[in-house]
Amino acid sequence: MQLQLALDLVNIPEAKELVKEVEEYVDIVEIGTPVIINEGLRAVKEIKEAFPNLTVLADLKIMDAAAYEVMKASEAGADIITILGVAEDMSIKGAVEEARKQGKKILVDMIGVKNLEERAKEVDEFGVDYICVHTGYDLQAVGKNSLEDLLTIKRVVKNAKTAIAGGIKLNTLPEVIKAKPDLVIVGGGITGQEDKRAVAAEMKKMIQQGE
């Protein structure tokens, strides 16, 4: 089970500071969609150059022109690139094909997918590396979380690794660990805390113990 740090509401210098604080406890650093919108793929490039030993995920949430966007993110140094589960089958297959060419991985973000079980089963056949259930900011605001969704996809996903994102904090992590995802994605649960390093260390310890 791995821990991914999601960076959403920072600029590049802030992102570097943050990663420096917690790098020994996280496996993957995610350059979030808002950062890429604000800073471009330069954010991915600079974080990868600054932390070459960390796996870097570019949260592009690709919807179309998938092969091209995967290629561009790969050139910037991303190890994992995200595409939306609601994208066309052709787009997801195109993303996977390009990622294979580049030696990269694809994570499918299931945010907004209506029939989760059915779509997870379909997407799992396309050769993607991760399938991620995700409660976005807008649904977190009304008290939703992704735990049930994780259990749903775990029933049907046979090939890909499973991931969970959205509002995970220190106090909700034990429940998440119990469901045994392959990847736990935490944003504000680390970045919004006073002592980020201590929280990341504690989370990593809990994840290692829960395996």
Side-chain angles (χ1 to χ4, degrees), residues 18-59:
L18 244 163
V19 177
K20 206 179 289 175
E21 262 186 86
V22 302
E23 65 173 312
E24 65 193 274
Y25 303 112
V26 302
D27 303 291
I28 301 171
V29 172
E30 169 188 333
I31 311 302
T33 317
V35 179
I36 293 173
I37 287 169
N38 290 329
E39 303 274 5
L41 283 169
R42 191 168 59 93
V44 174
K45 191 172 189 295
E46 290 202 24
I47 293 295
K48 188 63 185 179
E49 282 170 359
F51 305 96
N53 298 326
L54 281 177
T55 298
V56 174
L57 177 143
D59 190 18

Side-chain angles (χ1 to χ4, degrees), residues 43-114:
V44 174
K45 191 172 189 295
E46 290 202 24
I47 293 295
K48 188 63 185 179
E49 282 170 359
F51 305 96
N53 298 326
L54 281 177
T55 298
V56 174
L57 177 143
D59 190 18
L60 293 188
K61 293 194 178 75
I62 294 170
M63 190 66 182
D64 188 28
Y68 175 77
E69 294 191 1
V70 168
M71 180 181 75
K72 285 298 173 196
S74 301
E75 285 169 5
D79 301 293
I80 307 171
I81 299 111
T82 68
I83 187 165
L84 293 171
V86 293
E88 301 286 358
D89 291 1
M90 283 296 295
S91 299
I92 298 175
K93 288 173 182 171
V96 168
E97 196 181 323
E98 184 61 32
R100 291 283 172 276
K101 246 187 256 176
Q102 304 278 353
K104 309 295 184 178
K105 291 183 172 170
I106 294 293
L107 178 145
V108 177
D109 186 337
M110 302 297 274
I111 194 168
V113 169
K114 292 291 178 257

